[in-house]
Amino acid sequence: MTTVLSPPAPPTAVRPRVVARTGLCAVLAVNAAVVAFFFARAGFASNALIVLGRLAGLYGALAMAFQLVLVARLPWLDRRIGMDRLTGWHRWTGFTLLWTLLAHVVLIAFGYADGTGVGPVTEILDLAETTEGVLRALVAFVLVLVVGAVSARAARRRLAYETWHFVHLYAYVAVVLAFTHQVAVGTTFTSSSAARAYWYGLWTVALGSVVVGRVALPLWRNRRHRFRVSAVVHESDSVVSVHITGRDLDKLPAQAGQFFLWRFLTRDRWWQANPFSLSAAPDGRGLRLTAKAAGEGSAALRHLKVGTRVFAEGPYGAFTTLHRTRSTSLLIAGGVGVTPIRALLEDLDGHTVVVYRVASERDAVLYDELRDLALAKGADLRLVTGKPVPDKLAPQKLKRMVPDIADRDVFLCGPPPMMSAVLATLDELGVPKQQIHFERFSLAG
């Protein structure tokens, strides 16, 4: 298999993740300042609560637009930050949105109720009946509360991804309703043409990013490449590899370490998308994913037929050689987390050590391939077996296996408990955070 090696970034180069993160923060800060500027130009109400309520509403709108950009799956951001981190930022921005919208509703209600002799609830209901756009805003607020509730960790763990995703789609309804409310009664819209142009532009960019990243780009790529299953290989009793072919795959911007959201267009599975990493570096002729039968979706892969059409969203992820900072590497894999590690080994130059942690040798998925590839590339392969306790990758044991670990880039992928333990080990061994690369692929779905 022929691959193109990706040279490590020069030691003095600015890290791509830093560039993207700094750019996002700068854009957000500039927009926050612009919102404050147009708000001040529109003039202040005589009631301080109304003033603060309007400002909270504007910043709530800005947070909502920023949330859309974070989950738009724009390739430039995703390759540099990663979907898992972007999703995490989206979640925290959601908390900001909830609090700002709650402050907007409460402050406006008390502000308008002040001096009228009625309570804040009655005042809000009166405004909903008499003022255009207020009822739509209340519906949007309720939808945001519902989406926030089902996104809480306790609720999220109890819901199937498809159910959670369906409920989450109501957030887009809330966006439209909130925007129409802003157009109808927002003081910046009614007092300044420049402010109107700004808000129209902001929402166009935010919603346009979602349409491009999550609809137009996947549709265009699938129409161009026409993915199909070319082979199904049973690696073991519980592990299967699916080979994908298509047209013009040399034009597909996929890299070793990335993943796709795969949708196999069979009668009973077409509606379900699952995130699986590439288990071999893309070679321009085909793609391969390898999965363990851990759930209904992955178990169904064993029964796929050659020729089945595939709808693939991606490639996604920042778990690639783009983020290298050193000329040597350490790859640490746990269980089926070896799939992106095996692909990365193909793509890496410089001396590499591979540590593969499994319960027993029979659990070592793709081990023969990994061994042959390590031999061909001059890499050191260490298979670590045994029970989780005692920890075979404890600081001193890992240090003995890789004495120069602090001078290497470390790529880590495996089950969440193992990843958490290894990250603690790397921290204790003094490995700089900028040299540690990992993604929690479970968040991608």
Side-chain angles (χ1 to χ4, degrees):
M1 185 175 290
T2 303
T3 58
V4 178
L5 296 178
S6 300
T12 56
V14 179
R15 293 169 57 214
R17 184 173 291 122
V18 173
V19 172
R21 187 171 57 223
T22 303
L24 271 179
C25 291
V27 168
L28 183 59
V30 168
N31 278 276
V34 171
V35 168
F37 171 75
F38 284 126
F39 175 73
R41 280 193 60 186
F44 301 126
S46 58
N47 188 298
L49 293 178
I50 295 176
V51 172
L52 293 175
R54 288 175 177 172
L55 184 60
L58 290 174
Y59 279 127
L62 179 60
M64 190 177 285
F66 190 61
Q67 269 200 310
L68 293 177
V69 174
L70 290 177
V71 293
R73 298 178 185 170
L74 299 175
W76 190 88
L77 281 178
D78 182 76
R79 288 176 182 273
R80 286 157 178 80
I81 296 176
M83 188 188 289
D84 64 334
R85 290 178 176 84
L86 288 170
T87 303
W89 295 354
H90 169 82
R91 181 172 179 270
W92 285 107
T93 305
F95 290 132
T96 302
L97 174 62
L98 283 172
W99 285 111
T100 53
L101 291 186
L102 181 61
H104 174 63
V105 172
V106 171
L107 291 170
I108 289 293
F110 277 92
Y112 277 101
D114 186 31
T116 64
V118 299
V121 175
T122 302
E123 183 64 30
I124 282 292
L125 294 177
D126 289 342
L127 287 173
E129 291 180 2
T130 60
T131 305
E132 181 186 1
V134 173
L135 180 59
R136 294 194 293 268
L138 291 176
V139 174
F141 179 60
V142 172
L143 290 176
V144 169
L145 290 179
V146 171
V147 172
V150 300
S151 297
R153 291 188 187 277
R156 180 68 182 89
R157 284 194 292 265
R158 290 172 170 80
L159 292 174
Y161 168 72
E162 288 75 20
T163 303
W164 173 86
H165 185 264
F166 178 77
V167 174
H168 223 69
L169 291 178
Y170 282 100
Y172 296 107
V173 178
V175 168
V176 174
L177 292 175
F179 178 65
T180 58
H181 162 71
Q182 192 177 16
V183 171
V185 300
T187 54
T188 54
F189 271 83
T190 58
S191 63
S192 170
S193 58
R196 281 198 298 275
Y198 164 76
W199 281 106
Y200 273 115
L202 179 71
W203 285 112
T204 299
V205 170
L207 289 170
S209 296
V210 173
V211 172
V212 169
R214 304 193 68 157
V215 180
L217 189 56
L219 287 174
W220 179 77
R221 282 180 174 164
N222 280 273
R223 180 178 175 81
R224 179 183 188 184
H225 298 297
R226 298 184 181 274
F227 301 108
R228 288 184 180 274
V229 174
S230 59
V232 178
V233 179
H234 296 254
E235 306 288 355
S236 71
D237 292 340
S238 60
V239 177
V240 62
S241 289
V242 180
H243 295 253
I244 309 293
T245 189
R247 302 189 312 181
D248 300 326
L249 293 186
D250 57 320
K251 303 295 194 302
L252 182 67
Q255 298 181 37
Q258 292 189 299
F259 67 94
F260 287 77
L261 296 178
W262 304 94
R263 196 183 300 270
F264 296 95
L265 305 183
T266 61
R267 181 178 299 177
D268 56 342
R269 307 306 304 174
W270 64 268
W271 50 272
Q272 187 175 50
N274 293 100
F276 295 118
S277 298
L278 297 175
S279 59
D283 61 0
R285 299 187 299 274
L287 304 170
R288 186 182 75 173
L289 65 97
T290 302
K292 186 175 182 178
E296 186 179 350
S298 53
L301 298 179
R302 305 176 64 83
H303 308 295
L304 287 174
K305 296 180 180 179
V306 172
T308 299
R309 288 291 303 273
V310 182
F311 189 91
E313 298 177 51
Y316 298 127
F319 193 65
T320 68
T321 56
L322 175 66
H323 299 279
R324 292 182 66 188
T325 64
R326 295 291 185 270
S327 60
T328 58
S329 306
L330 167 62
L331 309 181
I332 303 177
V336 79
V338 74
T339 55
I341 294 294
R342 183 248 180 259
L344 275 173
L345 181 58
E346 267 189 90
D347 205 29
L348 285 167
D349 60 352
H351 185 261
T352 303
V353 177
V354 183
V355 177
Y356 189 8
R357 178 73 168 93
V358 288
S360 64
E361 290 188 16
R362 67 174 178 273
D363 297 316
V365 181
L366 303 177
Y367 180 73
D368 290 342
E369 286 187 23
L370 202 61
R371 181 192 57 210
D372 294 343
L373 187 57
L375 182 64
K377 296 183 69 71
D380 295 333
L381 175 61
R382 314 286 175 82
L383 182 64
V384 180
T385 62
K387 297 180 180 179
V389 180
D391 188 3
K392 299 295 183 69
L393 298 181
Q396 295 309 314
K397 294 181 180 180
L398 189 57
K399 179 73 171 177
R400 281 197 295 270
M401 280 190 280
V402 193
D404 61 343
I405 186 171
D407 296 322
R408 293 175 177 267
D409 277 305
V410 181
F411 292 85
L412 168 66
C413 187
M418 174 224 165
M419 289 180 63
S420 297
V422 172
L423 288 172
T425 291
L426 296 175
D427 181 62
E428 187 172 335
L429 292 176
V431 180
K433 291 187 183 298
Q434 65 267 23
Q435 294 170 216
I436 303 173
H437 316 287
F438 66 94
E439 274 188 309
R440 301 187 188 276
F441 293 96
S442 62
L443 294 176

